[in-house]
Amino acid sequence: MLKTFYSIIALLFFTFSFSQKTNSLKGKIIDETTKLPIESATVYISSAKDSVVIDYTISDKFGKFDFKIKNIAKPVYLKISSVGFDDFKINLNSIDSDKDFGTVSLKTAIKNIDEVVIKSEAPPIRIKKDTLEFNASSFKVRPDANVETLLKQLPGVEIDADGKITVNGKEVNQILVNGKPFFDKDGKIALQNLPSDIINKVQVSDTKTTKEEKTGAVASSNNASINLTIDEKKNKGFFGKIMAGAGTNDRYESSGLANYFKNKTKVSILASSNNINSTGFSMDEIFDNMGGGRSRSMWVNGDGSFGINGRRFGGNTGITRSNMVGINYSDEWKKGLDATGSYFFSNTNSENVNRTNQTNLLPSGNFSTNSTSKTTDERFGHNMTFELEYKIDSLTSIVIEPRYTKSTGKYKSASSQESRDNVDALLNESTSSNFSDSDSDNFGNTLTFTKTFRRKGRFLSVSFENENNKSLDETTTNSNTIFYQGTDPDDTRNQLGITKKISDNYYSEIEFSEPITDSLQIKVGTDVRFDKQLERINTFDYDSVSDDYSINNDLLSTYTTSFTKTLTPKAGFDWNKSKFNVRASFGTSIVKFDNHSDYVGVATDLNKDYLMPYISSSINYRFTKSKNIWISYNYEFEMPSANQVLPFENLSNPLNTFIGNPNIDLNKYHNVYFSYRNYDYATRSGYGIYSGGNFYESQVVSSTTFDADRKRTTTYQNVTGTNNYWFGFYMNKSIKKETHTYKFGVNINNWANVSKGFTDGQLYSAKSFNFSPRFNFTYEYGELFTINPTYNYTLSKTDFTNYVVSSASNFTHKFNVQITNYWPKNWTFGNDFGYTYNSNIADGFKKDFYLWNTSLSYSFFQKKLIAKVKVYDMLNQNLSSTRTISATSIRDEENIVLKRYAMFSLTYKIEKFGAKEKKPSNRFMW
């Protein structure tokens, strides 16, 4: 399997690398008047027929440009553009050989008395230092398209079937509007709800931390950031949309988004209410949140649920009714003082029915556990974020970023389970009903102070972060557990448990950078971290005399604390050249680890000290503007929890008793990552290879013993030789022929791990492998028709040592096709059909299902009104059945899901923009 996989990658790699001859286009750009070289001029090749950008480059500090391009057998233009100069253009009938354009002189742009007028078109692409800038008006989209549709038209930008955005193969993890978050930095709401015609520029750069932004340091991230700038003409006005829908089976949905922009003042308000597992904000213009049997990983969790700023909506584990109101605000309060903030209120009510069949794998023989549960979960949440940036002067700034979350919830469950051995003898059974009332508060803040100096590369930064969590949970438990094979007494409980948790984490860093040369900086600094956790559990048994939970249960009441203090002095360097960036930092972490418990009147203290190496390093080498290699290495360690190291019995679970081990060591591991990316603008094709993993020197694992009733007793030990790693390959290509566009995509994701543990005193190991190729194809006929089939195969296989079984495996097939028709005019008809097959799921669980969603909409009243009819799960077959293979179990699970419903909705769009103010001319007024 692995040999075949690597052979395929090698074949594709060499096919893409050497399939076509490349030609060199070079020259030198100078100012016609001064004869001085012009740096950072944009040089690009565009089609003579439709002005589509084929490739581009930028001139260096000597004014020279030289880039490789494959054969082009059609007329093209070579254009050169630079701010303040007239554009330069050369007609080329084709490109089939190297071309040297010699010295190209640019004329200073013509100016008039009233204002500067550039007598040329804006180039579709421009490079400004480390930022790639697209001129939005140069790329054609439908008049009613959103920002995501615009991004799909930009060269080098790919949005795959999962919704993941990449630019030149680099994954985008931040999307801003005019440099500020629009509700959230991940850009969900901005991409799907902002109209594309208000966008002026799309700017792409490497994602930077606040410190890197303020000091001008090279980004340490291997991700990209997109900033959307609003067109000045559209930056004054009011726009938004309101939607309401009613459906069969009492289904409903409604949402509204209103935006008020006035220069730097921006206020946006959104609200939604529905009972169809939706955020209320379209994840897809045609299919909303209905997804044809698949989940867009960028937007949703593995179970299909959504999240915005930590709030969870819907999913395939139950049916959720949700309500949400949010506001986003950004403004410049005064010169040098910018403020951005958002607030969300959310309310969700979820109901679920779960059925699980789990085979527990033991060296002495398997046993199975069948369980059912019914749950309801209602939660209320408040989430506030704020960012205040104050520029003290041109070299000094302070950024403060506080955040606060408040959550309350009520959870109710009724469950039953039974366990049987491999000859079907009953081992234990239990019933339980629980009701919990929870309240949690989270406050965090990040403060960053940066001071740069006149000499480039010299700076001082000081940062401070805190995260303070407090939660209180009151749970009433009424359970009965019966044991059939051993001597364990039956366990009956009618109790109230009150759990209080407090977590306080503080982190501070000071760093000074001193340039040695223009490209080399030495950095010294110190990190200080304080982490404190407290958990207090008070359990009370029911007193029938007083009809209250008033009898203290000492065996189920615990008090633990853990306090970790870490000091890390460090030193390192940054070496930044035009072709590469190298950074490395080394130091020693001095760790003081103090733990305390109080159980049945016995106090236990465990205090340890550690000296741990600190290593953080990365290399980024750029062969060309769109071809690079990234390598990183970090040495990491993690502290075990107080419950893992403190030697007292935790009897809270009637089927599993936990005991800490004071002799265990830390989790210590090496983290490595590698990626190679290549994108070719001439052929609109790209590919990449990536790999990474964690390799453990020492890892804390469970050591579990089972008695005759299969009641567990779990403690902890250290093992070596465990790891988890991932590797993969992706490839994409676009072909455009007149009105026909073809897009191909292949993505092969794989992960593997070696895990170990102890069961009944025997060391076991499990080697797991997951192989998951995805194939994607899209055909577009102009703006009238789109078809997008995808296929995803996933194989999961685990090989065991010291087990009654030697291996376990499972595979799934997922096929999906989306067909969208935009004809006749103002009509949109979409069909989303998916098929899922699960190979080895247990008897009683359905192996396959079809999910067909359809949508028909009509725009009228100057496209301000949209009427839509959609049907979810047309065949009424939707289900949620999953198989999970771990080192100790095979778990098959089924949850209730939304079934067929039809929905009619009406959407009204509002757009009222103010005209651009005209500047007064420099003429005398009489």
Side-chain angles (χ1 to χ4, degrees):
M1 176 74 70
L2 285 176
K3 289 182 179 179
T4 302
F5 168 71
Y6 286 121
S7 298
I8 293 172
I9 287 181
L11 177 62
L12 292 171
F13 181 88
F14 286 108
T15 299
F16 268 72
S17 297
F18 305 106
S19 59
Q20 281 187 280
K21 173 184 177 294
T22 58
N23 308 292
S24 173
L25 305 181
K26 62 182 180 180
K28 182 179 180 180
I29 307 168
I30 65 170
D31 184 329
E32 184 182 63
T33 304
T34 66
K35 307 302 181 183
L36 294 175
I38 300 175
E39 184 180 0
S40 298
T42 303
V43 185
Y44 60 99
I45 299 291
S46 64
S47 170
K49 182 176 181 179
D50 52 17
S51 298
V52 172
V53 175
I54 298 173
D55 202 355
Y56 72 92
T57 190
I58 183 174
S59 61
D60 63 18
K61 63 182 179 181
F62 302 108
K64 295 181 178 180
F65 65 91
D66 185 357
F67 62 105
K68 308 296 182 182
I69 190 167
K70 294 178 182 178
N71 289 346
I72 301 176
K74 62 179 181 180
V76 295
Y77 294 129
L78 181 138
K79 297 181 181 181
I80 300 175
S81 175
S82 184
V83 176
F85 295 89
D86 286 342
D87 285 354
F88 178 85
K89 182 171 70 174
I90 299 177
N91 299 335
L92 302 171
N93 292 326
S94 63
I95 297 178
D96 54 12
S97 62
D98 296 341
K99 294 182 184 296
D100 188 343
F101 297 94
T103 301
V104 178
S105 300
L106 298 188
K107 296 181 180 180
T108 303
I110 300 172
K111 301 178 182 179
N112 64 19
I113 297 175
D114 296 331
E115 58 183 1
V116 176
V117 178
I118 306 297
K119 299 289 186 177
S120 62
E121 64 182 30
I125 294 176
R126 176 166 281 160
I127 301 176
K128 298 181 177 180
K129 294 183 179 180
D130 57 353
T131 299
L132 173 63
E133 184 178 271
F134 297 97
N135 180 30
S137 62
S138 299
F139 302 92
K140 185 179 180 182
V141 294
R142 297 189 311 274
D144 58 341
N146 60 16
V147 173
E148 184 181 62
T149 305
L150 169 64
L151 293 185
K152 290 179 179 179
Q153 305 303 314
L154 305 182
V157 178
E158 296 290 336
I159 303 179
D160 66 15
D162 287 332
K164 182 175 71 175
I165 303 174
T166 57
V167 181
N168 299 340
K170 184 171 290 189
E171 184 173 347
V172 174
N173 69 339
Q174 176 177 266
I175 297 175
L176 306 175
V177 177
N178 280 0
K180 302 296 181 182
F182 188 76
F183 287 101
D184 201 357
K185 287 186 177 181
D186 61 14
K188 297 183 185 74
I189 298 175
L191 291 189
Q192 292 293 335
N193 291 278
L194 292 182
S196 63
D197 59 2
I198 73 168
I199 303 301
N200 180 29
K201 307 289 185 184
V202 178
Q203 299 167 334
V204 181
S205 59
D206 291 336
T207 302
K208 291 187 176 185
T209 64
T210 300
K211 179 179 73 175
E212 290 166 346
E213 287 178 357
K214 301 307 174 187
T215 60
V218 174
S220 58
S221 168
N222 195 28
N223 296 108
S225 173
I226 290 178
N227 179 47
L228 307 168
T229 67
I230 306 297
D231 190 301
E232 185 179 349
K233 297 177 182 178
K234 302 293 180 70
N235 206 21
K236 290 182 180 180
F238 178 81
F239 66 97
K241 60 182 179 180
I242 303 171
M243 184 272 290
T248 59
N249 302 323
D250 297 323
R251 299 297 170 201
Y252 66 90
E253 62 176 337
S254 61
S255 66
L257 175 64
N259 305 276
Y260 171 73
F261 288 3
K262 185 177 181 180
N263 299 323
K264 293 188 177 181
T265 302
K266 295 178 176 60
V267 180
S268 300
I269 299 174
L270 58 79
S272 74
S273 179
N274 68 83
N275 62 354
I276 55 172
N277 291 11
S278 167
T279 60
F281 298 95
S282 175
M283 310 302 258
D284 183 284
E285 289 186 297
I286 312 303
F287 303 106
D288 298 328
N289 300 306
M290 297 191 296
R294 60 191 173 86
S295 298
R296 300 183 68 183
S297 62
M298 182 176 180
W299 306 134
V300 299
N301 300 317
D303 62 358
S305 60
F306 301 87
I308 297 179
N309 275 350
R311 289 162 303 284
R312 187 170 179 270
F313 297 86
N316 291 333
T317 54
I319 299 174
T320 299
R321 182 180 71 248
S322 65
N323 304 288
M324 180 176 66
V325 177
I327 183 171
N328 188 78
Y329 165 80
S330 75
D331 200 359
E332 183 182 57
W333 287 351
K334 66 175 186 178
K335 186 176 182 180
L337 183 60
D338 294 336
T340 304
S342 66
Y343 165 77
F344 281 96
F345 166 79
S346 61
N347 164 236
T348 60
N349 189 306
S350 300
E351 297 181 355
N352 187 36
V353 176
N354 173 276
R355 181 167 64 98
T356 300
N357 184 335
Q358 179 168 307
T359 300
N360 303 283
L361 307 174
L362 303 180
S364 57
N366 300 341
F367 73 96
S368 61
T369 301
N370 295 311
S371 64
T372 61
S373 67
K374 183 177 181 179
T375 61
T376 59
D377 187 6
E378 183 171 23
R379 299 197 172 273
F380 296 86
H382 303 269
N383 184 289
M384 290 175 281
T385 61
F386 197 73
E387 179 179 321
L388 190 67
E389 178 183 341
Y390 178 48
K391 296 179 181 178
I392 299 173
D393 54 43
S394 61
L395 302 176
T396 312
S397 69
I398 296 176
V399 179
I400 304 173
E401 301 170 88
R403 53 198 177 275
Y404 174 72
T405 302
K406 170 77 172 179
S407 176
T408 60
K410 296 182 183 297
Y411 177 83
K412 184 178 181 180
S413 70
S415 62
S416 63
Q417 73 167 41
E418 65 173 26
S419 296
R420 295 178 178 271
D421 63 17
N422 52 10
V423 294
D424 205 35
L426 187 62
L427 301 172
N428 61 69
E429 63 178 347
S430 66
T431 58
S432 176
S433 62
N434 297 275
F435 177 79
S436 67
D437 199 337
S438 61
D439 190 336
S440 66
D441 293 89
N442 173 277
F443 172 73
N445 184 47
T446 301
L447 185 151
T448 306
F449 169 84
T450 55
K451 170 70 176 179
T452 58
F453 298 88
R454 297 297 179 186
R455 185 175 179 184
K456 182 181 178 181
R458 179 183 295 167
F459 66 81
L460 172 69
S461 72
V462 181
S463 62
F464 174 79
E465 298 179 26
N466 66 282
E467 195 77 30
N468 305 98
N469 301 285
K470 181 175 66 176
S471 66
L472 181 64
D473 185 277
E474 297 185 4
T475 301
T476 303
T477 301
N478 199 325
S479 67
N480 185 35
T481 304
I482 303 172
F483 300 100
Y484 289 98
Q485 301 297 325
T487 60
D488 293 315
D490 295 342
D491 187 300
T492 301
R493 304 185 181 190
N494 187 3
Q495 299 169 334
L496 171 65
I498 302 175
T499 302
K500 181 179 181 181
K501 293 182 180 180
I502 297 176
S503 175
D504 295 312
N505 306 290
Y506 302 93
Y507 171 78
S508 181
E509 178 195 52
I510 182 170
E511 183 177 74
F512 178 76
S513 172
E514 176 65 24
I516 304 302
T517 67
D518 288 344
S519 59
L520 179 64
Q521 294 92 42
I522 300 297
K523 296 181 178 181
V524 294
T526 300
D527 297 350
V528 180
R529 181 182 294 276
F530 296 92
D531 300 299
K532 185 175 183 179
Q533 283 78 39
L534 177 150
E535 181 181 74
R536 182 189 296 274
I537 301 175
N538 293 317
T539 304
F540 302 92
D541 293 325
Y542 179 72
D543 185 353
S544 58
V545 176
S546 62
D547 191 25
D548 195 10
Y549 294 97
S550 56
I551 303 174
N552 189 57
N553 188 322
D554 291 334
L555 291 176
L556 298 182
S557 299
T558 62
Y559 174 78
T560 60
T561 62
S562 179
F563 190 17
T564 305
K565 292 174 279 187
T566 307
L567 175 67
T568 307
K570 59 185 180 180
F573 66 89
D574 283 5
W575 187 20
N576 304 309
K577 303 290 284 186
S578 60
K579 285 287 187 180
F580 63 83
N581 308 109
V582 180
R583 63 177 65 234
S585 185
F586 308 92
T588 299
S589 294
I590 306 165
V591 185
K592 186 172 180 57
F593 186 45
D594 298 335
N595 298 273
H596 171 80
S597 68
D598 192 345
Y599 182 62
V600 293
V602 177
T604 303
D605 291 291
L606 180 67
N607 303 319
K608 293 186 176 184
D609 299 326
Y610 299 93
L611 288 177
M612 301 298 298
Y614 172 87
I615 305 173
S616 177
S617 60
S618 66
I619 300 173
N620 181 20
Y621 186 84
R622 295 174 292 277
F623 299 94
T624 66
K625 63 185 176 298
S626 57
K627 182 193 299 185
N628 81 298
I629 285 179
W630 174 281
I631 303 172
S632 67
Y633 168 78
N634 299 283
Y635 185 83
E636 306 280 357
F637 66 90
E638 296 172 350
M639 312 305 296
S641 68
N643 289 324
Q644 289 176 324
V645 300
L646 289 168
F648 69 90
E649 291 185 322
N650 184 337
L651 304 172
S652 58
N653 187 334
L655 291 173
N656 199 349
T657 298
F658 295 90
I659 305 173
N661 179 3
N663 298 315
I664 59 174
D665 198 1
L666 310 180
N667 295 296
K668 297 179 285 189
Y669 58 96
H670 305 269
N671 172 266
V672 295
Y673 182 76
F674 164 84
S675 71
Y676 171 80
R677 301 186 178 101
N678 187 12
Y679 186 86
D680 188 285
Y681 286 87
T683 61
R684 293 295 294 265
S685 62
Y687 63 94
I689 303 171
Y690 57 91
S691 181
N694 299 309
F695 300 87
Y696 283 84
E697 289 182 5
S698 174
Q699 186 177 25
V700 177
V701 299
S702 298
S703 176
T704 304
T705 57
F706 293 81
D707 62 15
D709 294 310
R710 292 302 187 254
K711 181 179 178 180
R712 300 171 175 86
T713 299
T714 300
T715 186
Y716 305 92
Q717 294 190 41
N718 287 104
V719 296
T720 60
T722 56
N723 56 65
N724 59 79
Y725 55 96
W726 56 94
F727 46 96
F729 170 81
Y730 68 86
M731 177 183 70
N732 53 68
K733 183 177 180 63
S734 297
I735 301 172
K736 186 175 179 62
K737 294 183 178 180
E738 297 179 345
T739 58
H740 305 277
T741 302
Y742 309 86
K743 297 180 181 180
F744 308 86
V746 177
N747 198 323
I748 304 175
N749 291 310
N750 310 272
W751 59 260
N753 63 54
V754 175
S755 58
K756 297 181 180 179
F758 295 87
T759 303
D760 287 337
Q762 295 188 43
L763 176 66
Y764 70 80
S765 66
K767 297 181 180 179
S768 301
F769 175 74
N770 182 283
F771 174 69
S772 183
R774 178 194 290 269
F775 303 92
N776 180 67
F777 170 73
T778 301
Y779 168 70
E780 298 175 358
Y781 180 70
E783 299 177 7
L784 299 179
F785 177 78
T786 301
I787 182 170
N788 173 218
T790 61
Y791 169 71
N792 188 196
Y793 172 81
T794 301
L795 170 66
S796 300
K797 190 175 188 298
T798 303
D799 295 321
F800 301 95
T801 302
N802 268 353
Y803 261 74
V804 68
V805 296
S806 60
S807 65
S809 64
N810 184 62
F811 65 85
T812 61
H813 297 283
K814 293 183 179 180
F815 172 77
N816 187 85
V817 59
Q818 286 190 348
I819 302 173
T820 308
N821 184 64
Y822 298 95
W823 183 88
K825 186 178 179 180
N826 296 335
W827 288 89
T828 304
F829 181 43
N831 285 278
D832 190 348
F833 180 81
Y835 172 73
T836 300
Y837 175 82
N838 201 333
S839 68
N840 290 334
I841 205 160
D843 293 339
F845 293 82
K846 197 171 186 299
K847 290 187 176 183
D848 64 344
F849 71 96
Y850 298 91
L851 183 59
W852 178 17
N853 304 318
T854 187
S855 167
L856 178 66
S857 65
Y858 175 68
S859 302
F860 57 102
F861 193 51
Q862 298 178 335
K863 291 193 173 183
K864 292 182 178 180
L865 279 171
I866 302 174
K868 178 186 289 187
V869 176
K870 62 183 179 183
V871 180
Y872 177 82
D873 189 18
M874 179 80 78
L875 303 177
N876 204 31
Q877 287 198 11
N878 190 29
L879 58 83
S880 172
S881 296
T882 58
R883 165 162 283 207
T884 305
I885 301 174
S886 72
T888 56
S889 66
I890 301 173
R891 181 183 179 92
D892 297 312
E893 187 173 355
E894 185 177 271
N895 299 280
I896 64 169
V897 293
L898 279 172
K899 290 288 190 177
R900 180 170 57 198
Y901 69 83
M903 181 82 70
F904 172 79
S905 64
L906 194 63
T907 301
Y908 178 63
K909 292 184 177 181
I910 307 167
E911 289 188 358
K912 294 183 179 180
F913 297 106
K916 180 180 177 182
E917 294 181 4
K918 295 183 179 180
K919 296 181 180 179
S921 62
N922 294 332
R923 298 178 181 176
F924 292 105
M925 302 296 294
W926 299 94

